[in-house]
mmCIF file of all heavy atoms in Angstrom:
data_model
loop_
_atom_site.group_PDB
_atom_site.id
_atom_site.type_symbol
_atom_site.label_atom_id
_atom_site.label_comp_id
_atom_site.label_asym_id
_atom_site.label_seq_id
_atom_site.Cartn_x
_atom_site.Cartn_y
_atom_site.Cartn_z
ATOM 1 N N SER U 56 205.426 -15.566 121.156
ATOM 2 C CA SER U 56 204.290 -14.746 121.548
ATOM 3 C C SER U 56 203.435 -15.397 122.630
ATOM 4 O O SER U 56 202.391 -14.870 122.996
ATOM 5 C CB SER U 56 203.412 -14.436 120.326
ATOM 6 O OG SER U 56 202.938 -15.638 119.745
ATOM 7 N N SER U 67 198.851 -15.116 130.748
ATOM 8 C CA SER U 67 197.726 -14.216 130.560
ATOM 9 C C SER U 67 196.431 -14.896 130.993
ATOM 10 O O SER U 67 196.244 -16.089 130.753
ATOM 11 C CB SER U 67 197.613 -13.798 129.089
ATOM 12 O OG SER U 67 196.579 -12.858 128.908
ATOM 13 N N PRO U 116 208.004 -4.412 116.744
ATOM 14 C CA PRO U 116 209.380 -4.918 116.818
ATOM 15 C C PRO U 116 210.129 -4.806 115.495
ATOM 16 O O PRO U 116 211.316 -4.476 115.480
ATOM 17 C CB PRO U 116 209.193 -6.382 117.239
ATOM 18 C CG PRO U 116 207.883 -6.406 117.946
ATOM 19 C CD PRO U 116 207.027 -5.425 117.215
#
Side-chain angles (χ1 to χ4, degrees):
S56 60
S67 184

